[in-house]
Amino acid sequence: MKRIPALPLALLLLLTSCGSTVEVEEAAADTTPVQTETVETERIPALPEDLTFDGTDFNLLSSYYNDYCKITKEEATGEVLNDAIYDMEIRTEERLGVNILEDQREYNEAIRLSESLVAAGDDTYAAMNQLDRFSIDLMVKGYLRPLEDAEHLDLTAPWWHPDVTEEMSLGGNTFYAASASNILMYVDTSAIYINTAMAKNLGVSVDDIYDAVREGTWTQDQMMEYAALAKADLNGDGEMTRDDQWGMMCFDENILGTSLITAGGRKSLDKDADDNLTLLWNDEQYVNLLENAYNIFHHDAVLTEKTASQFRHKATEFAEGRSLFMHGFFMAVDQLEEMEDDYTIVPIPKFDAAQDRYICANYDVMTYIMPKFVSDTELFGAVLEWLSYEGSAQVTDAYIETTMKYKAARDETMAEMVQMCLDASMIDIGGMYCYNWCSYDMLYFNVICGGALNFASYAAAQDKAIGTRLAEIAKAVENVQ
């Protein structure tokens, strides 16, 4: 049965980066002529107007890691985000004359299947959607083609999150591209939640924090000064436990350390002038940022259990009004439905106000890749280009509205801050290309939650293995044909 597009969304917020804007100059009485409106032309994919694939099935092999990995929705339900994603698919199908069919497999199964398809020369699937760090071996083994081989892709367009996509490039080749068609890019962006009711009771001005964010002076030192004000032994037993009041808690504490480092403008791996990976974590500034992150993790106003299992993905203390701040992903908003206090969201603070921008660490980005089983590079490029464009046009605003769905007093300022966080979203390529040594999990278990800071010895012990991995990646890039 032909699917019918959902009704157009009457979104509350008009924040899409590729949307049209109108500027009108007001006429001065009797002297200044009325100025005509000037309209900024909306950027759209540069596809030939007559390009169509005449009902071709576009089979997408998609991996499953969590519920946010899937690209498509089965039907319109009346829920804002669901219907925006559904419309994204339908608009793409109608524009290009294709039927998008998503086959979602567990991520390891998807990898094994893609390898067997390449070996067999089986072109059943037109494209693949895979979690970034789980697809590195596909590139190392020579199973991927660079996306530059596909027609119609414009990876500089906003719907490809160009800063993130460029960060993942290797040797001038793009093997992985982050697309606005997948909401995991939004959901896994980190941010700081603020309990606005508690802030008011403590004499902390949220408006001052907003101003600091806008002025670029929102720093980790400032956050911790506020956090120290909130610490309170509520039951008076002389010990701080989960039942007391805290300055900050963590929705997923194993990402706190690397999130603060990334927010300070450093990463474990960088790239040289030739776009090749280099190890950066022996850099003095990286070490300083790691030490600062370690100290915040162990600060007596910060609730951490030094275990990622029992309390992972929990917002309990914040939702119950017993923590001023919460560090976490945007996905944490799903646990704030019953929260009585109001809240807001701001970017992860800088280490130093002199930094040129905020960086909100993003983890586990879904990316489009082109395994060598792809036979039709024009179909691959055209469909993913238009699908990503529609994702930017349809889904971004819907996601921002959904982010605010449990907030009692929805306001434009919070929407502004949400957009700032999404605009600041960035990955640590060390966690992607060298997960087993440089990732948030490895640094958490081996360094951040330790009783003493032992980074120097940990880093020295990993150098040989990291060097081997970087050499493997470099060789694979050199062999690209």
Side-chain angles (χ1 to χ4, degrees):
M1 180 179 293
K2 178 64 178 177
R3 291 175 292 185
I4 301 175
L7 294 174
L9 297 175
L11 298 178
L12 299 178
L13 309 168
L14 299 176
L15 297 173
T16 307
S17 60
C18 61
S20 300
T21 60
V22 179
E23 298 178 357
V24 182
E25 294 187 15
E26 189 173 314
D30 301 324
T31 59
T32 305
V34 175
Q35 301 295 310
T36 58
E37 294 183 350
T38 60
V39 179
E40 179 184 332
T41 303
E42 179 189 9
R43 183 173 180 177
I44 63 174
L47 302 183
E49 291 186 6
D50 60 350
L51 180 63
T52 181
F53 295 96
D54 299 320
T56 297
D57 287 343
F58 184 86
N59 293 304
L60 175 64
L61 177 58
S62 186
S63 71
Y64 178 84
Y65 182 66
N66 61 34
D67 291 340
Y68 298 103
C69 294
K70 201 169 191 289
I71 298 292
T72 61
K73 295 292 184 181
E74 299 302 322
E75 61 184 359
T77 64
E79 193 276 324
V80 170
L81 184 57
N82 178 92
D83 290 359
I85 295 170
Y86 182 75
D87 280 355
M88 170 189 75
E89 178 188 357
I90 297 300
R91 290 170 187 264
T92 302
E93 291 180 333
E94 293 181 344
R95 167 61 181 84
L96 294 173
V98 296
N99 300 307
I100 299 174
L101 305 170
E102 185 174 12
D103 181 7
Q104 191 172 42
R105 309 287 186 100
E106 189 271 335
Y107 66 92
N108 278 323
E109 180 188 356
I111 292 171
R112 291 192 297 269
L113 176 58
S114 66
E115 291 181 350
S116 65
L117 291 170
V118 171
D122 186 329
D123 64 354
T124 298
Y125 295 95
M128 186 170 180
N129 174 45
Q130 177 61 285
L131 206 67
D132 55 4
R133 61 187 168 95
F134 291 128
S135 57
I136 307 305
D137 278 343
L138 289 175
M139 185 271 294
V140 170
K141 294 176 180 178
Y143 290 129
L144 299 186
R145 298 174 64 176
L147 300 180
E148 284 79 6
D149 286 356
E151 293 88 335
H152 306 306
L153 287 183
D154 179 4
L155 298 177
T156 68
W159 44 86
W160 286 110
H161 301 294
D163 288 345
V164 177
T165 294
E166 183 179 0
E167 184 76 1
M168 294 185 288
S169 69
L170 293 171
N173 300 288
T174 307
F175 295 98
Y176 313 96
S179 166
S181 65
N182 189 272
I183 65 169
L184 189 65
M185 181 71 199
Y186 309 134
V187 169
D188 272 356
T189 295
S190 58
I192 296 293
Y193 292 73
I194 305 175
N195 181 317
T196 55
M198 183 182 293
K200 182 177 181 180
N201 292 336
L202 294 170
V204 174
S205 170
V206 175
D207 286 337
D208 285 350
I209 295 177
Y210 285 151
D211 288 342
V213 171
R214 295 186 185 105
E215 294 164 4
T217 59
W218 170 233
T219 65
Q220 293 171 25
D221 283 346
Q222 184 182 13
M223 179 179 69
M224 295 313 297
E225 288 174 5
Y226 291 141
L229 299 174
K231 178 187 173 186
D233 180 7
L234 296 181
N235 57 19
D237 65 357
E239 296 182 4
M240 290 295 294
T241 67
R242 298 192 80 92
D243 295 324
D244 291 314
Q245 180 173 292
W246 295 87
M248 183 166 69
M249 66 157 295
C250 300
F251 177 70
D252 201 349
E253 67 183 44
N254 63 326
I255 70 166
L256 176 61
T258 49
S259 177
L260 295 172
I261 294 169
T262 303
R266 282 293 188 274
K267 48 203 172 187
S268 51
L269 293 184
D270 202 354
K271 295 190 290 183
D272 61 21
D274 296 320
D275 203 33
N276 296 316
L277 297 173
T278 60
L279 186 62
L280 186 67
W281 69 4
N282 291 318
D283 171 85
E284 180 180 359
Q285 181 63 2
Y286 182 91
V287 174
N288 289 340
L289 288 168
L290 187 143
E291 182 177 357
N292 176 70
Y294 178 90
N295 290 336
I296 289 177
F297 184 89
H298 292 272
H299 194 287
D300 62 7
V302 178
L303 172 60
T304 54
E305 291 286 342
K306 302 177 182 60
T307 172
S309 56
Q310 187 176 0
F311 300 104
R312 189 175 186 187
H313 290 173
K314 303 293 184 183
T316 305
E317 291 73 26
F318 184 79
E320 292 179 355
R322 291 185 290 103
S323 183
L324 174 61
F325 297 121
M326 178 173 68
H327 175 280
F329 303 130
F330 273 109
M331 71 166 65
V333 75
D334 291 340
Q335 296 195 18
L336 304 182
E337 183 177 7
E338 304 299 327
M339 184 172 176
E340 294 183 5
D341 292 342
D342 217 343
Y343 68 91
T344 191
I345 295 171
V346 294
I348 306 296
K350 301 176 181 179
F351 175 72
D352 186 333
Q355 290 173 222
D356 60 353
R357 65 189 183 110
Y358 296 102
I359 304 174
C360 294
N362 192 303
Y363 300 91
D364 294 338
V365 176
M366 293 299 291
T367 63
Y368 286 122
I369 57 178
M370 186 162 60
K372 290 183 177 178
F373 60 62
V374 173
S375 61
D376 191 337
T377 56
E378 183 177 41
L379 177 67
F380 176 97
V383 173
L384 295 187
E385 180 76 1
W386 199 268
L387 190 69
S388 300
Y389 159 70
E390 292 290 356
S392 179
Q394 307 297 324
V395 179
T396 303
D397 286 348
Y399 181 74
I400 293 172
E401 180 177 344
T402 303
T403 300
M404 300 174 64
K405 65 184 175 182
Y406 298 135
K407 188 173 185 289
R410 297 205 274 189
D411 62 82
E412 292 184 2
T413 302
M414 179 175 164
E416 173 194 357
M417 295 293 136
V418 170
Q419 186 69 64
M420 288 183 70
C421 294
L422 297 181
D423 289 343
S425 186
M426 182 53 67
I427 63 170
D428 176 1
I429 54 177
M432 175 179 174
Y433 287 110
C434 288
Y435 177 85
N436 290 337
W437 309 278
C438 302
S439 68
Y440 49 92
D441 281 335
M442 297 303 108
L443 285 173
Y444 170 79
F445 286 113
N446 293 289
V447 178
I448 297 296
C449 68
L453 184 58
N454 66 340
F455 175 68
S457 59
Y458 173 76
Q462 312 310 313
D463 278 353
K464 182 176 180 181
I466 294 173
T468 299
R469 184 58 162 175
L470 295 185
E472 291 175 343
I473 293 172
K475 183 176 179 181
V477 172
E478 290 175 3
N479 291 335
V480 170
Q481 297 179 1

